[in-house]
Amino acid sequence: MSGLRVVPAFRHGRERLYVCRADGAGVAWYDRGTGRVDLLAEDERDAVLQALHPFLTGPVTVGPPPVPTPAELARLTLHPDDDLAPNRPGEALLVALDRHPGPAHRLRPDPRRRALTAEQAVGGALDGLEGAGWHTLHSVPLPGGDRIHHLVIGPGGLFAVHALYARRARVRIVDPLVALGRREAEPLLRPLRSAADRASYALTAEVRPLLALVGPAEVTVVAQPRGVRILREPELADLARLGGVLKPADVEALHGMARDRNVWLRV
């Protein structure tokens, strides 16, 4: 027996299997998506492959980890408390509901849970863009208690995304007002533009506002809002077709900057 154990972990919707010694020290990891085994100790190659054998799903490439780029090295210096990348979709709402779940019996559904449903649906769709060269950060905190639901960075540029629960409702948009069904219209596009502007200032790059509607029965846009993209949740996959704005190195550099919580303290 090699004494090695395999520990699964999930990041951004992808599974990675870590191979560890009995003392917990890692010696390798296997990424199912790329079919690659990154090996830290060449003399343990045979033992690592033996431990991973039940989990391998096809041919694999085995070798040392690639040399990190300057952007990756910068990310490695982040304190875990300052790294926003591990945030789950709806992270802020999940924490709030865990701390203050509210009464067990309510006459009306807790609006936070509907908002969480929207953020999780939109966040899942955006995380699916990773294979096309995009990165998504969830629940990006802003001073004053505000936050950006999702910040998306990719070849097509940067977007500050606001997820809106609109299940089976008729949505009517008259800039800056957004009305859901018979509810009174709210000027939702103003804070969305403001959040995008604040993100642009923090990252010194243009960030465009995007309103993502989850489950609407009908959407009526009286006039296309200035500078705001409006998409239904299934249409978010179309962002993968956008390009020509950022090079891969720029995407990585901006993502490395944006995931640092301290970057957002000055906006």
Side-chain angles (χ1 to χ4, degrees):
M1 298 293 289
S2 66
L4 299 179
R5 59 193 180 94
V6 178
V7 180
F10 292 86
R11 288 292 300 274
H12 306 297
R14 296 173 62 178
E15 183 181 20
R16 176 180 282 186
L17 300 176
Y18 288 88
V19 183
C20 306
R21 298 192 184 101
D23 61 2
V27 295
W29 59 86
Y30 167 47
D31 190 317
R32 291 182 187 272
T34 61
R36 178 177 174 82
V37 176
D38 287 311
L39 192 64
L40 298 178
E42 178 63 31
D43 59 343
E44 297 193 68
R45 172 188 288 254
D46 292 340
V48 165
L49 292 178
Q50 180 182 356
L52 284 173
H53 180 73
F55 306 95
L56 300 179
T57 56
V60 297
T61 302
V62 183
V67 177
T69 65
E72 290 170 332
L73 287 173
R75 291 199 295 270
L76 291 174
T77 65
L78 275 181
H79 188 281
D81 290 343
D82 293 329
D83 191 356
L84 300 177
N87 280 6
R88 301 161 291 177
E91 181 75 29
L93 288 171
L94 287 166
V95 172
L97 286 166
D98 183 59
R99 292 176 178 172
H100 305 287
H105 302 287
R106 299 175 60 103
L107 295 178
R108 295 182 180 179
D110 189 331
R112 295 178 299 173
R113 297 197 177 277
R114 290 186 173 182
L116 175 60
T117 296
E119 290 191 42
Q120 289 177 329
V122 170
L126 294 175
D127 282 341
L129 299 174
E130 186 172 357
W134 292 72
H135 294 294
T136 303
L137 296 171
H138 307 289
S139 284
V140 176
L142 300 175
D146 295 330
R147 63 188 176 90
I148 298 172
H149 291 180
H150 315 280
L151 180 71
V152 196
I153 306 170
L158 298 90
F159 295 91
V161 181
H162 182 91
L164 182 61
Y165 184 92
R167 190 73 65 192
R168 295 191 296 273
R170 293 183 178 181
V171 181
R172 180 179 174 83
I173 300 174
V174 184
D175 193 6
L177 301 175
V178 178
L180 298 180
R182 298 180 179 178
R183 286 189 245 168
E184 184 177 352
E186 298 181 26
L188 294 180
L189 300 188
R190 285 178 184 163
L192 175 53
R193 287 194 182 101
S194 175
D197 289 342
R198 295 171 76 177
S200 297
Y201 179 82
L203 302 175
T204 62
E206 182 185 12
V207 179
R208 288 171 283 177
L210 190 157
L211 179 64
L213 303 171
V214 176
E218 178 183 322
V219 179
T220 301
V221 180
V222 176
Q224 184 61 37
R226 173 182 53 83
V228 179
R229 184 183 291 262
I230 299 172
L231 296 176
R232 299 170 187 245
E233 174 208 334
E235 297 170 337
L236 292 170
D238 294 342
L239 292 177
R241 303 175 186 175
L242 302 181
V245 177
L246 296 175
K247 298 178 181 179
D250 296 328
V251 172
E252 294 300 322
L254 284 165
H255 178 239
M257 179 188 299
R259 63 189 291 178
D260 184 353
R261 185 184 301 272
N262 296 293
V263 168
W264 304 97
L265 296 179
R266 61 175 186 262
V267 297

